[in-house]
Amino acid sequence: MFSNNKRQKTTHGEEEDHEQGRRTALHDIPGSILAAIIALVPDTRSRNAASLVCKEWHAMERATRRRLCLRGSSAQLHMLPTTFHAVRHLDVSNVSPWGTTLYAAHSAVCGQLTARWLNRAFPSVVDLTVYARDGTDIQLVAASWPDLETVRLVRWHQRPTGAGGDGSDGGDAAMELRGLLSSCPRLTHLDLSRFYCWAEDIAPALQASPSANLRVLNLLKLSPEGFKAAELLAIAAACGINLEELYALCEFDPRFLDCLSDECLIQVADYCPHLRVLHLVDSTQFSASRDPASDDPVFGAPALDASVTVRGLESLFQALPLLEDLALLLGHKVRDSAPAFEALAKSSKSVHALHLGHFQGLCSGSNGIARCGAAGLRTLQLRSCDDLTDAALGAIASASPQISWLGLRRCPLVTPAGLSSCVSILRRSLTRVEIECCPTLSTRNLLRALAPVRSTLQHLHVDCVWDADLEEEEQGGAEQEQEQDQALDLFGNLAWKKLHHLSLWISAAHLISPLVQMNLISHCPLLRELSIRVEGDCRLFAKPQAREFGLRSFARFPSLASLRLDLSEAVGYALSAPGGNRDLSIWERFYLQGIQSLPGLQELDYFPPSDKDVNYRGMTLPGVGLISQCHGLRKLFVHGTAYEHLFMMLLKIYNLRDVQLRADYFPAPDMETSTEMRAESCKRFETLLEKRGFPD
């Protein structure tokens, strides 16, 4: 009897231990392992949710946070978070009102106090992105974090003028950069790609500062001027042998004095022999707009030869044995360039990325650029290569089977059959394809050619060209039905299983709905990001031919959460239109109609249409009204201006919590009119947004 009771108690104890084992939770993991798990979470909202579980998790999340982007009003620094002491990468370029100085420039005491608060809140920062209106901001940045290693300066407003404002050595921008370089001796990365200044300001600042530690220098400025040969040589000489990455907007046009030539490139290589990344872009090729007016009838580059020759390129590549990433986007032709890239393959054994523009004769059989495949070429982007044939493209793919990013722009001889053969060879590695301005590759032909990699592509850029397709469909009813059945059979059965980013370009006044209606993009279960760019002159059309652009067609993709709608190159009449034309409000209604039908949209990056004659880019009543109906929207970035009474309509969006109004186009207006959105208007809007509260 005693033994039976003992057996029963033992069995009951085992059941209790088993039940306790079932209830083992994530809290039972050792703290060091749990902190490592939280550190691997990249999503910001997931990290914020984890920090609300308990005090222990809150401390772990704050202790493992390495990146932070601050948003909010610069007038509410008393709400600055003080628990992110481990943050190393800090972005304060989005502080509202956007474009204003983070530090109170009108009061030196307030500026120093702000710098002290920021230093106490984020003492471990080594990577900083900041909007700098003048030299005072840069001086306070250097005083706050003297141990900075990476700095990204942002400024879209006009360059400050003063003593030496004509671009001489005493120029304001030169003094700003000189103070930054002298105050931060550990600075190794300097990014000025979004810093509006003059090209002649940078070389004096580098020459007068101890900039020998710079390893990365990004000078792909959005300003229209490119660097002359003397300026680029001065920059290379000032940086010296430690420079590993150089990005610069240059002047390659042989019709101008002091343009970049073979001698200049060879001297740059002599000054900086350890370059691993070299991106040199002609100032005429950096623009995003596509204007083929300057091209010849063959749809290629201008007839003039470039100032860079094949022999010069061979010498350049021989002088840079560590080169891994090369981008040479010229504005004129380099003929019979295959020997130059054979020399690149011999001298550089680890070339993994090539971005070339206006190079002819790149490949002949297994020679030329095909030789770079043995070095592990993974990224290949070619533009304005008039003689690139299907056979040459196939030879490149066969020699480089590990290419994951393929881009073609203005390659008139590439046919759908050649592209299909190329992607078939690369079907195991290809994840990103960008095809632009290729006349033989209409939208339907392009998507048919990409059938071998449809299930593996993650990033796709397509030009929406419907004219030829629509004309063929209107020829007869029977032929139209047969063609649609074939399209359904071809596109309806196969899904784009891994596609998460889709980028589209379309001409003004054309519809985008055929992309989905014709089953060209049938099923994308993972599509989260959609980018649409519209270019063209709306003034050539009396009015839109249809009621809406076609955004409603993308409502079938429930995972679509981010939309970038760029209408900045859709040019029209801003305030008043002549008889028979429509102003931008009608066109904005046309393009935004149906955006409220996107069920999962959470982020909108919107560039309103513009009137470049008066340098105006702003939202109108129809645009604000349609966006205010997107009830699930959480983040809204408007790259333009708006009237205050219209912008207040956005308070109807229940989930909206992050709004930025940005005048980030050159030159950004310093003096706003009395009725447009100003700094005080933005503060009033943010105050009302905070009073309303946030649901989560």
Side-chain angles (χ1 to χ4, degrees):
M1 186 71 180
F2 178 78
S3 60
N4 292 336
N5 293 336
K6 185 176 181 181
R7 188 182 301 110
Q8 291 177 0
K9 291 182 180 179
T10 304
T11 305
H12 182 66
E14 291 176 355
E15 291 177 358
E16 288 182 353
D17 294 340
H18 184 63
E19 290 295 329
Q20 290 180 359
R22 286 183 180 179
R23 291 194 298 268
T24 301
L26 193 60
H27 307 289
D28 300 327
I29 298 178
S32 58
I33 299 178
L34 185 59
I37 294 175
I38 295 178
L40 295 176
V41 178
D43 184 59
T44 304
R45 294 192 65 191
S46 300
R47 295 185 66 96
N48 293 336
S51 65
L52 299 177
V53 173
C54 60
K55 292 183 178 180
E56 182 182 1
W57 283 40
H58 181 274
M60 289 182 180
E61 196 281 326
R62 295 301 188 259
T64 56
R65 182 77 70 102
R66 295 293 182 266
R67 296 180 179 273
L68 186 66
C69 180
L70 280 184
R71 294 190 177 97
S73 177
S74 58
Q76 298 177 344
L77 289 176
H78 62 280
M79 301 179 63
L80 191 70
T82 58
T83 57
F84 296 97
H85 296 290
V87 168
R88 297 177 60 85
H89 307 272
L90 180 63
D91 186 354
V92 292
S93 63
N94 295 322
V95 176
S96 299
W98 191 89
T100 59
T101 176
L102 177 64
Y103 307 93
H106 59 276
S107 174
V109 177
C110 294
Q112 295 176 0
L113 182 61
T114 302
R116 190 177 306 171
W117 282 355
L118 289 172
N119 190 11
R120 289 180 179 178
F122 311 104
S124 304
V125 171
V126 295
D127 185 339
L128 179 68
T129 304
V130 62
Y131 196 101
R133 291 289 291 264
D134 51 28
T136 304
D137 295 341
I138 300 180
Q139 293 175 4
L140 292 175
V141 164
S144 302
W145 297 286
D147 295 332
L148 284 174
E149 299 176 0
T150 301
V151 175
R152 301 176 185 86
L153 297 181
V154 183
R155 181 172 68 195
W156 294 82
H157 287 78
Q158 296 181 2
R159 174 186 182 275
T161 57
D166 56 350
S168 60
D169 292 350
D172 289 345
M175 294 295 294
E176 295 167 0
L177 299 176
R178 187 182 307 173
L180 175 66
L181 294 172
S182 60
S183 301
C184 300
R186 297 185 180 180
L187 190 65
T188 58
H189 295 63
L190 181 60
D191 188 347
L192 303 178
S193 60
R194 295 182 292 170
F195 187 69
Y196 183 68
C197 62
W198 293 347
E200 53 265 30
D201 289 331
I202 298 176
L206 294 175
Q207 290 174 337
S209 304
S211 55
N213 293 328
L214 277 182
R215 293 192 291 110
V216 178
L217 182 60
N218 192 342
L219 302 175
L220 281 176
K221 302 188 292 72
L222 298 182
S223 54
E225 304 89 6
F227 288 97
K228 303 291 186 181
E231 297 168 349
L232 188 64
L233 288 176
I235 293 172
C239 294
I241 62 174
N242 291 331
L243 192 64
E244 298 179 1
E245 300 182 17
L246 176 60
Y247 310 82
L249 189 70
C250 304
E251 185 61 70
F252 283 99
D253 196 336
R255 295 172 296 182
F256 291 91
L257 297 175
D258 200 19
C259 67
L260 267 70
S261 59
D262 296 341
E263 293 78 8
C264 177
L265 295 180
I266 294 173
Q267 291 185 37
V268 168
D270 292 337
Y271 287 131
C272 310
H274 296 158
L275 280 176
R276 295 184 299 103
V277 180
L278 179 62
H279 287 201
L280 301 180
V281 183
D282 188 83
S283 57
T284 60
Q285 301 298 311
F286 195 74
S287 175
S289 61
R290 318 180 189 194
D291 184 14
S294 60
D295 293 349
D296 59 7
V298 188
F299 201 80
L304 294 177
D305 289 342
S307 57
V308 179
T309 64
V310 175
R311 289 187 178 181
L313 291 175
E314 292 177 353
S315 302
L316 172 66
F317 297 150
Q318 292 174 1
L320 299 176
L322 303 179
L323 194 61
E324 300 176 358
D325 187 348
L326 173 67
L328 284 177
L329 300 183
L330 309 180
H332 299 82
K333 290 182 178 180
V334 178
R335 305 178 189 274
D336 299 327
S337 58
F341 294 98
E342 292 179 6
L344 174 63
K346 293 179 181 179
S347 61
S348 303
K349 302 301 182 181
S350 58
V351 179
H352 63 78
L354 289 177
H355 191 183
L356 308 174
H358 291 103
F359 283 86
Q360 315 302 321
L362 283 171
C363 182
S364 57
S366 59
N367 298 324
I369 198 175
R371 293 286 186 89
C372 298
L377 188 64
R378 296 189 297 271
T379 299
L380 179 62
Q381 299 182 71
L382 305 176
R383 64 166 65 186
S384 299
C385 298
D386 301 342
D387 57 354
L388 183 67
T389 61
D390 294 342
L393 189 62
I396 295 174
S398 300
S400 308
Q402 63 273 29
I403 290 180
S404 61
W405 182 354
L406 177 64
L408 299 177
R409 180 174 182 178
R410 295 188 186 276
C411 297
L413 300 184
V414 177
T415 64
L419 181 61
S420 178
S421 176
C422 174
V423 299
S424 297
I425 299 173
L426 303 175
R427 63 183 179 276
R428 295 184 179 180
S429 61
L430 198 61
T431 59
R432 181 167 181 171
V433 173
E434 298 179 356
I435 307 296
E436 301 179 278
C437 302
C438 295
T440 62
L441 297 175
S442 63
T443 307
R444 177 169 298 178
N445 294 332
L446 171 61
L447 295 179
R448 285 175 176 171
L450 295 179
V453 294
R454 184 184 289 114
S455 60
T456 59
L457 277 185
Q458 301 177 10
H459 191 293
L460 176 63
H461 175 81
V462 179
D463 282 354
C464 295
V465 181
W466 314 120
D467 293 343
D469 297 338
L470 294 177
E471 290 176 0
E472 293 175 0
E473 291 178 357
E474 294 175 356
Q475 290 179 0
E479 296 179 358
Q480 179 182 3
E481 293 179 0
Q482 183 180 2
E483 187 175 0
Q484 288 180 351
D485 292 339
Q486 293 177 356
L488 285 171
D489 182 62
L490 182 60
F491 299 105
N493 297 332
L494 296 177
W496 302 78
K497 298 179 181 179
K498 296 184 179 181
L499 188 66
H500 63 80
H501 182 95
L502 177 62
S503 177
L504 305 172
W505 176 92
I506 191 169
S507 181
H510 288 73
L511 303 180
I512 203 171
S513 52
L515 184 69
V516 179
Q517 292 176 356
M518 294 190 304
N519 291 282
L520 300 180
I521 298 293
S522 56
H523 181 55
C524 304
L526 300 182
L527 184 63
R528 289 189 53 84
E529 301 176 2
L530 176 63
S531 177
I532 302 176
R533 182 176 180 85
V534 180
E535 293 185 12
D537 195 345
C538 297
R539 296 171 294 187
L540 302 178
F541 306 92
K543 62 178 181 180
Q545 299 179 357
R547 183 176 178 271
E548 59 183 77
F549 176 54
L551 289 179
R552 195 184 307 271
S553 303
F554 294 93
R556 67 173 65 182
F557 304 133
S559 300
L560 183 60
S562 177
L563 172 63
R564 176 186 173 92
L565 184 58
D566 188 352
L567 308 177
S568 58
E569 296 298 329
V571 183
Y573 295 101
L575 302 177
S576 60
N581 291 274
R582 300 292 186 269
D583 57 18
L584 289 178
S585 62
I586 304 298
W587 288 104
E588 193 170 28
R589 182 199 303 272
F590 166 72
Y591 284 112
L592 287 175
Q593 191 70 249
I595 192 173
Q596 67 276 14
S597 302
L598 303 180
L601 188 62
Q602 298 180 6
E603 300 181 13
L604 176 60
D605 203 6
Y606 179 55
F607 295 75
S610 61
D611 187 351
K612 294 188 176 182
D613 293 338
V614 294
N615 192 29
Y616 178 84
R617 184 197 296 170
M619 297 185 67
T620 61
L621 176 60
V624 178
L626 290 171
I627 291 178
S628 64
Q629 299 179 30
C630 301
H631 302 295
L633 203 62
R634 294 177 55 88
K635 296 182 180 181
L636 174 62
F637 304 110
V638 179
H639 301 261
T641 185
Y643 295 105
E644 181 181 357
H645 65 281
L646 297 180
F647 215 66
M648 291 298 178
M649 296 173 60
L650 297 177
L651 295 173
K652 299 179 181 179
I653 305 177
Y654 180 69
N655 293 317
L656 190 64
R657 61 181 302 143
D658 191 359
V659 183
Q660 287 282 329
L661 190 68
R662 305 179 178 181
D664 52 356
Y665 50 97
F666 288 129
D670 276 325
M671 300 299 295
E672 294 85 356
T673 60
S674 59
T675 56
E676 293 179 359
M677 204 74 166
R678 296 163 295 170
E680 295 299 326
S681 303
C682 291
K683 292 178 182 179
R684 287 193 293 267
F685 173 80
E686 291 174 352
T687 301
L688 294 176
L689 193 64
E690 292 175 359
K691 287 183 178 180
R692 188 198 62 179
F694 307 111
D696 54 352

